[in-house]
Amino acid sequence: MHPRRRRGAIWRRSAVLGVVLLCVAVVGSFATAGGGGKRRGQALTPAAKPIPAVESGLLPWHLPAPVSREVVLPRSASRLAVLGGLSGSRSVNGVFSLNTSNGVLRSIGALKAGVHDAAGSIVGGRDVVFGGGTPSTVASVEQLPTSPSAPLGTLPAPRSDAAAVRVRNTTYIVGGYTGTYPDSTVLSTTTGVKFQTVARLRVPVRYPAVASAAGKLYVFGGQAISGSRAGLPVNDIQQVDPARHTSGVIGHLREPLDAAAAIKLNGIVYLAGGDTSTSQSTRRGTGNLQIAAPASSPTRLFTTSTIWAFDPARRKLLAAGRLQVPVSHAGVAVLGKRAWLVGGESGSRQLAAVQMITPNRSFGIAGAPGAGSPYFGGKLLIADRGNNRLLLLGTSNQVVWRFPSASSGPDPHGFFFPDDAFFVHHGTAILSNQEQNETIQEIAYPSGKVIWSYGHPHQIGAAPGYLHEPDDAYLLKNGQITVADAQNCRVLVINPNHSIAHRIGTGAACGHSPPLSLGSPNGDTPLADGHLLVSEINGSWIDELTHAGQVVWSVQLPISYPSDPQQLGPDRYLLADYATPGQILEFNRAGKILYRYDVRTVPGMLNHPSLVERLPSGVFMVNDDYRDRMAAIDPSTKALVWQYGVADHAGRARGMLNTPDGFDLLMADGSTPTHRATG
C-alpha cells in the first residue's frame, strides 16, 4: 500500500497512548434476596427481547484539563453543562458549556464555592447542585442560572458522594455521606426547596450508581462507609420503590463496584466502569484494569472498563461492551441516544478524556460472546507486516488462527512483508501479497497450506512471472487475480496458469496516462461492474478502468498519498491518505470531498493509514500502520470505538502488532462484506 517505503525505514515512535483493552465477556446473574425478589428455585421471567450491546467511543478531543467528580447535565441536543468537580486536589467552582460535536468548552457561570462529589439534576428548568464537598461536606443547594425570586433551600443534612436521578418531574437523591456518618435516606424533591424521605437504603453506601426503570430505583454497588468493608466497594444491588416507600437488596454484582455510571438509554439501563476490589491472585492477566491502591495494600482497587446491560425483569446483568478507557467518578449525562462520560479517574490518574456510549444492535446482543465488537458475528484478518504473519481475531479480540504456524507446514517462498490479505473462495483460502518479497500467495484456510503463488522471492523484475512491490492482490469472480505492480507502474490481471490476461501500463513510464502508463499504482479494487478502482501515488489520481485500461472516469484529489480506494455507493468512494497526520476521505467522481476525518491529536490521530473499509456496523476500520494498531472509528462522532495493538509500541506479544498493513472481515456464512465483487 505504500511501495515507497523500505524495510530500513521503520520508525521508532516514542509517544504512548493507553493500553489495549482485553476484556473477557461474562454474564453475571444475581442471587436474589429481600425486596420482594424471586427465591432460589423459582422460574425466572420468560426470555425478554434481546438487549442491544453498546458502541463505546473515546472522543478525538479532550478537556483542557483533567477533572473528576463533577456534575454533568444536559443543556441542548449537542451541549452539556459541567459544574464544579475536582481538579487535582482542589474543588473548583467553574460552570461550563461543553459542545459535544467539537469539544469546545465555554464558561457560563460559577458556583458560589468550589464543590466536588455533589449530586446534580434539572429542577424547574434550572441546573441544580445538591451538597458536595468543599472539601468539607455541605448541605447547600445551588441553582444555575440563579433566581432571586425563587431561592433554593438546603438539604436536611450535609451530604456528599450521593447520586441524583430524575423521574419525570421528581428528583431522587440516593446514598452519600454526611462527613461523619452514612446517609441512608432516599430523598425526593420537585422544587429543590422541600425534600421528603421516601425510603431508606438497606445497605448505606457512598458513590452508588443509580438509575430508574419501571418506576423503581436501582442502586448498583457503592462504597461501604462503616463495618468490616468500610472504604471498599460492595456488590449489593438494591431496589427502591418510592411509591411504596420500600427498599431491599435484590441481588449481587459479580464483583464489588463503586463510582460506576448507571445510564438509561432507549429504556435500558447500562452500567459502565467503576472501581472494583478483589484479591490480586484472581486478577492476574486481565489487562484491562488499572491498579488504584498501593502495591502493599492487601486489597487492591482496580478501575474497570466493563459495560453491563441490566435486565430488571430477570434481574440479570449481561456483558454489553467495554469503555475505551477504564473510568470511575466521571460526570455523566444523556443527550438523545448517547451517554457522555466526562473526565473521571482511572486508577490514581484524573482524566481529561470524554467518552460516549450508545446502544448499537450492529455491535451485537448483550450477553453474547463478543458483545460490543464493531465486527460482531465475524472474524478479523490482520496482515501484521512488521511481524511477517497473519492473525485472525475473534470478536472478543482473541487470536483464533495465525500463519505461519507449526501446523501450516513448510513454505517454499518464505512468508515475508505481508502487505495485504483477503479471504477468497467463501472463506476457504486467503490471498496475500508480500510487497518486498515480490510474491503473491494463496493460502488454504485453515490448513495454512500454500496452494498457489506468483513471483520470485526477493527477486525484482518486470518479465513474465516477476513483480516489483505487488500491492492489493484480489481474486476476481472468474478466477483471475488482479494486482497493482507498483514499482513496475502497471496493473496486471493474471490467469490461474500464471499467464497475463491483461496489462494496464507498459512500465516504460510512471505517470498518469492510462492505459499506456500509471503513476505507481497501489490499489486496484474490483468493482461490481467488473471494472477496477485504481489509485496512483504519483499525482494522487483515482481512476475507474476496464481490464483493458479504458478510462471510465478519473479524478485528481488534493491529498498527498492516496491508498486503496473503495466504493461505498453509486457515486461515493472511500480511501486513506497515507501520511502523517493521516486522513480518511469520502469523495465523488468530480473530486468533491464529502467527508473528512483529519484528527491531529492523539488518541485519534492516524499515522500513515493504508487501508480503510466501512464495516457492516457502519464504522470505519483502518490500518493505522505507523501507530502499530488497528482502529475502528465512528464517522459521525469521530470517536475511537475499538483498537487492537498498543498505540505507538510495536511488538509481537499478545495484543500487540508491528506495522499492520492490511485486513479483511470474514462473516460466519463465508461472506466478505467489504469486497463483495471479488471471488
Side-chain angles (χ1 to χ4, degrees), residues 601-622:
T601 56
V602 295
M605 188 187 77
L606 303 175
N607 190 346
H608 288 77
S610 55
L611 171 63
V612 59
E613 302 263 24
R614 187 174 67 187
L615 301 187
S617 59
V619 304
F620 292 142
M621 181 69 76
V622 61

Side-chain angles (χ1 to χ4, degrees), residues 95-467:
V95 178
F96 299 90
S97 171
L98 175 63
N99 189 329
T100 58
S101 63
N102 56 22
V104 172
L105 192 70
R106 182 171 60 90
S107 176
I108 57 173
L111 299 171
K112 293 178 181 178
V115 66
H116 67 276
D117 281 329
S121 182
I122 296 176
V123 179
R126 289 183 169 84
D127 299 338
V128 177
V129 176
F130 301 94
T134 64
S136 60
T137 299
V138 297
S140 60
V141 177
E142 187 170 350
Q143 67 176 1
L144 289 166
T146 58
S147 174
S149 62
L152 296 187
T154 59
L155 294 169
R159 194 166 191 163
S160 63
D161 315 335
V165 59
R166 186 168 177 252
V167 182
R168 299 185 181 89
N169 293 322
T170 300
T171 293
Y172 297 95
I173 301 171
V174 184
Y177 176 61
T178 68
T180 307
Y181 305 106
D183 194 333
S184 64
T185 59
V186 179
L187 301 177
S188 71
T189 183
T190 58
T191 63
V193 178
K194 295 181 179 181
F195 299 86
Q196 293 182 331
T197 298
V198 297
R200 292 183 180 274
L201 293 180
R202 186 71 57 85
V203 180
V205 288
R206 63 201 297 191
Y207 309 127
V210 184
S212 66
K216 310 290 195 304
L217 306 181
Y218 291 91
V219 184
F220 301 93
Q223 186 184 105
I225 305 172
S226 58
S228 61
R229 289 193 59 82
L232 295 175
V234 301
N235 66 356
D236 301 288
I237 305 294
Q238 301 183 71
Q239 182 190 76
V240 177
D241 187 338
R244 296 185 177 183
H245 303 284
T246 60
S247 71
V249 175
I250 62 167
H252 295 89
L253 297 168
R254 188 175 181 87
E255 294 180 313
L257 195 67
D258 72 16
I263 306 154
K264 190 174 182 180
L265 292 163
N266 294 347
I268 299 166
V269 173
Y270 293 95
L271 185 66
D275 288 333
T276 186
S277 64
T278 187
S279 65
Q280 182 180 0
S281 61
T282 62
R283 270 295 166 196
R284 256 175 218 147
T286 51
N288 70 306
L289 303 174
Q290 298 185 5
I291 296 172
S296 60
S297 173
T299 304
R300 294 185 175 185
L301 297 181
F302 303 84
T303 306
T304 180
S305 63
T306 306
I307 302 172
W308 303 92
F310 177 56
D311 182 347
R314 293 180 293 172
R315 296 176 177 175
K316 298 186 74 172
L317 281 181
L318 306 171
R322 63 172 180 258
L323 298 165
Q324 300 310 306
V325 177
V327 70
S328 63
H329 296 286
V332 184
V334 173
L335 295 178
K337 65 179 182 179
R338 290 189 179 95
W340 299 86
L341 281 70
V342 180
E345 298 170 11
S346 193
S348 59
R349 296 182 300 118
Q350 282 187 318
L351 301 177
V354 177
Q355 302 185 73
M356 67 88 177
I357 297 173
T358 185
N360 189 335
R361 175 62 181 80
S362 296
F363 278 59
I365 295 297
S373 170
Y375 57 94
F376 182 82
K379 294 183 175 69
L380 186 71
L381 179 67
I382 302 173
D384 189 13
R385 194 191 78 195
N387 284 321
N388 300 316
R389 64 184 182 178
L390 303 179
L391 298 178
L392 189 64
L393 301 185
T395 51
S396 296
N397 288 359
Q398 77 279 24
V399 176
V400 297
W401 181 85
R402 68 182 72 229
F403 178 87
S405 69
S407 62
S408 60
D411 173 14
H413 303 283
F415 195 74
F416 172 73
F417 215 91
D419 180 77
D420 290 289
F422 300 105
F423 277 103
V424 297
H425 301 309
H426 301 288
T428 62
I430 295 167
L431 192 63
S432 173
N433 54 279
Q434 290 87 62
E435 186 179 277
Q436 291 189 11
N437 200 29
E438 318 300 346
T439 58
I440 304 170
Q441 293 184 10
E442 185 176 344
I443 303 160
Y445 172 75
S447 73
K449 180 181 179 182
V450 177
I451 55 180
W452 186 89
S453 66
Y454 186 91
H456 296 264
H458 299 288
Q459 296 184 47
I460 294 170
Y466 287 83
L467 300 166

Side-chain angles (χ1 to χ4, degrees), residues 31-32 38-42:
T32 58
K38 292 182 181 295
R39 294 185 175 87
R40 295 179 186 269
Q42 285 185 287

Side-chain angles (χ1 to χ4, degrees), residues 488-515:
N488 282 325
C489 297
R490 65 188 182 180
V491 170
L492 301 178
V493 180
I494 307 168
N495 290 317
N497 66 2
H498 298 81
S499 63
I500 302 300
H502 301 283
R503 180 185 290 108
I504 307 172
T506 63
C510 286
H512 172 72
S513 186

